[in-house]
Amino acid sequence: MSSTKRGGQRRPDDFYRTPRWAIDALLYTIRGVKSPILDPGCGDGAILAALQDPDPNLREIAARGLGRHGDAPEVVLALARAAREDDDRMTRVTAIRSLASIGAPRTTPVLGVLASQGYSEDEDVRVCARWALRKVGEERKQRQQDLLLWVVPA
């Protein structure tokens, strides 16, 4: 929190870390939100760090939130790691769904690897990754059709 107008000194670059308890409370509060969540000041990656929390519910909520966050390489890698390694089934499935929400082109290779028989022994991961690849492909095809209609009016 800022110390402006209270006689305190400002920190360099105005970085005031959000306490972990506030991140946890935020994630539990937004768990039912369907719209995108924008985080213009993502700081030091506290939501990414929540994927490592011992509480599987919090990890699953963090995975869902990250799918609405954007396609930064750190987000894609963290979700791929959660999809592959998390010991909670719901977190793994949610991480793959979040990768599908982020969409092509950055997530397509990751989803392809997760869907491959030789890479993942977890059938849930493979099935969900194949579904995600289809979803990403359908959305991409629809965007191409929309662009074509815009460029070449009927």
Side-chain angles (χ1 to χ4, degrees):
M1 294 188 207
S2 174
S3 60
T4 306
K5 298 182 183 174
R6 289 185 288 184
Q9 289 290 99
R10 292 186 84 128
R11 294 184 186 169
D13 302 321
D14 277 346
F15 178 66
Y16 300 91
R17 176 171 288 133
T18 303
R20 180 57 196 254
W21 63 265
I23 295 295
D24 294 351
L26 170 70
L27 290 172
Y28 276 110
T29 301
I30 64 172
R31 68 177 170 237
V33 174
K34 301 272 190 248
S35 61
I37 298 166
L38 304 177
D39 187 7
C42 61
D44 60 353
I47 295 178
L48 278 174
L51 280 175
Q52 306 300 318
D53 195 88
D55 180 357
N57 292 322
L58 191 58
R59 292 193 312 268
E60 188 265 332
I61 294 166
R64 188 175 331 124
L66 287 169
R68 301 178 194 139
H69 193 63
D71 67 347
E74 300 83 13
V75 171
V76 172
L77 286 172
L79 288 170
R81 188 175 301 117
R84 187 184 72 221
E85 299 173 1
D86 200 281
D87 56 348
D88 178 62
R89 178 190 177 280
M90 199 61 212
T91 301
R92 290 191 308 271
V93 169
T94 300
I96 293 171
R97 288 180 178 162
S98 289
L99 287 167
S101 294
I102 292 170
R106 194 177 303 269
T107 62
T108 305
V110 173
L111 291 169
V113 169
L114 290 170
S116 70
Q117 186 76 27
Y119 183 75
S120 177
E121 297 175 10
D122 186 340
E123 182 66 18
D124 288 338
V125 167
R126 290 194 309 270
V127 168
C128 194
R130 287 192 295 268
W131 165 85
L133 280 168
R134 282 193 304 276
K135 180 179 186 271
V136 167
E138 290 167 5
E139 288 174 357
R140 188 169 151 202
K141 185 177 178 181
Q142 184 62 50
R143 281 193 305 273
Q144 289 171 341
Q145 290 172 347
D146 292 346
L147 180 61
L148 188 58
L149 289 173
W150 182 75
V151 172
V152 183

